[in-house]
Amino acid sequence: MKSFLERRQKERNFDAFNVINIMLFVGVLVAFIISTVFCIVDIVENVTTSYMPLLQRILAIFILFIPYLLRWIFKIQFPLSATSLFYIFLFLSIYLGTFVNLYNIVWWWDLVVHFASGLLLGFLGMFFVNHLGKKSSGSVMYVFIFVFAFSTAFAGLWEIYEFIADIIFDMDMQHAGELVGQSALFDTMFDMIAGVVGAIVAALCCAILTYKDKNFALQFKVTRIKKQKISQIEE
């Protein structure tokens, strides 16, 4: 009976996080759909309008469903905290940054997004730390170095991706606009610096939490979904 009550208490503790996670998903999805509808109306009213914004919105909706697709295809469950951070980042970067055009309206918004991406990528690195072995996941120095290196590496790869996309598809993913020469270089470098600062903050947080709790990495464990069995109450 005691074990059953403990399981029920644990489930109730996560109910709030589950509700928040669902609300974030629905909120971002509604925002993407509304933006897509306005984009379709604009295309209908202005025949000369480019179809690229519409394709971006369709792709954004697809990206939003990635955690659910991974769960359905590979039968794996991500921690609610990870998916919640993912939805928040999509809202900040894609919806507010690209669709609402804050990248061009607010000069520092790009820095905010790159800082957030450094944080998100850093915590994403903890998923890999968790699967490298119990000894490694409990080492404070190892966690700090791995999280920092993981985040900065992917931040660099993302800048390369934006650069290639801008050249091949004539886009403006780097949001440089009319900047040329050193001005464009400074814009890219400040973005990378913001990402590195986010990586350092994430690495420090993960290292401190690992120092306080050697099993901190277990919170980032990806679990496989098993067929639910009818639970029986043990008396």
Side-chain angles (χ1 to χ4, degrees):
M1 185 66 176
K2 184 178 179 181
S3 60
F4 172 77
L5 292 176
E6 290 176 348
R7 288 197 302 270
R8 291 302 299 161
Q9 182 63 39
K10 188 176 181 180
E11 290 173 2
R12 283 195 293 269
N13 290 339
F14 282 94
D15 282 346
F17 293 103
N18 191 38
V19 171
I20 293 173
N21 188 264
I22 294 174
M23 290 176 63
L24 285 172
F25 171 79
V26 173
V28 177
L29 178 60
V30 170
F32 282 177
I33 291 175
I34 292 175
S35 180
T36 303
V37 171
F38 277 107
C39 185
I40 294 174
V41 172
D42 184 55
I43 292 175
V44 172
E45 293 180 349
N46 303 283
V47 182
T48 57
T49 302
S50 172
Y51 284 91
M52 184 58 69
L54 178 60
L55 293 176
Q56 289 178 335
R57 284 155 176 76
I58 294 174
L59 180 61
I61 293 175
F62 171 78
I63 294 175
L64 184 64
F65 278 92
I66 284 180
Y68 290 95
L69 291 174
L70 292 176
R71 177 177 179 176
W72 178 59
I73 297 173
F74 299 105
K75 306 300 181 185
I76 56 177
Q77 176 68 51
F78 293 99
L80 295 176
S81 57
T83 52
S84 295
L85 288 174
F86 178 68
Y87 300 146
I88 293 173
F89 178 75
L90 291 183
F91 183 77
L92 295 176
S93 60
I94 297 180
Y95 181 75
L96 293 180
T98 302
F99 299 165
V100 180
N101 200 28
L102 282 187
Y103 285 129
N104 295 321
I105 297 175
V106 183
W107 69 267
W108 45 263
W109 189 254
D110 200 22
L111 298 177
V112 171
V113 172
H114 277 83
F115 174 78
S117 68
L119 280 175
L120 182 63
L121 287 168
F123 285 106
L124 180 63
M126 287 300 296
F127 286 98
F128 296 91
V129 169
N130 181 66
H131 293 282
L132 291 176
K134 187 174 182 181
K135 186 176 180 180
S136 299
S137 63
S139 171
V140 176
M141 184 58 66
Y142 181 86
V143 167
F144 178 86
I145 294 174
F146 186 90
V147 169
F148 174 75
F150 183 90
S151 180
T152 52
F154 272 87
L157 289 175
W158 180 259
E159 288 295 330
I160 293 173
Y161 161 71
E162 287 185 344
F163 174 75
I164 294 175
D166 287 350
I167 292 177
I168 296 177
F169 300 105
D170 193 26
M171 301 172 65
D172 189 26
M173 294 189 67
Q174 293 179 295
H175 310 291
E178 300 298 324
L179 298 179
V180 294
Q182 284 192 332
S183 297
L185 176 61
F186 286 162
D187 182 79
T188 300
M189 291 307 299
F190 278 126
D191 289 347
M192 294 186 68
I193 291 172
V196 169
V197 172
I200 293 174
V201 173
L204 283 173
C205 290
C206 292
I208 293 173
L209 292 172
T210 300
Y211 175 78
K212 292 183 176 180
D213 182 7
K214 296 298 182 181
N215 295 320
F216 170 70
L218 293 177
Q219 298 182 34
F220 297 86
K221 187 176 182 180
V222 179
T223 57
R224 285 196 170 274
I225 301 174
K226 298 179 180 179
K227 293 182 178 179
Q228 294 183 352
K229 298 181 180 180
I230 300 175
S231 58
Q232 296 180 347
I233 300 177
E234 299 178 0
E235 296 184 355

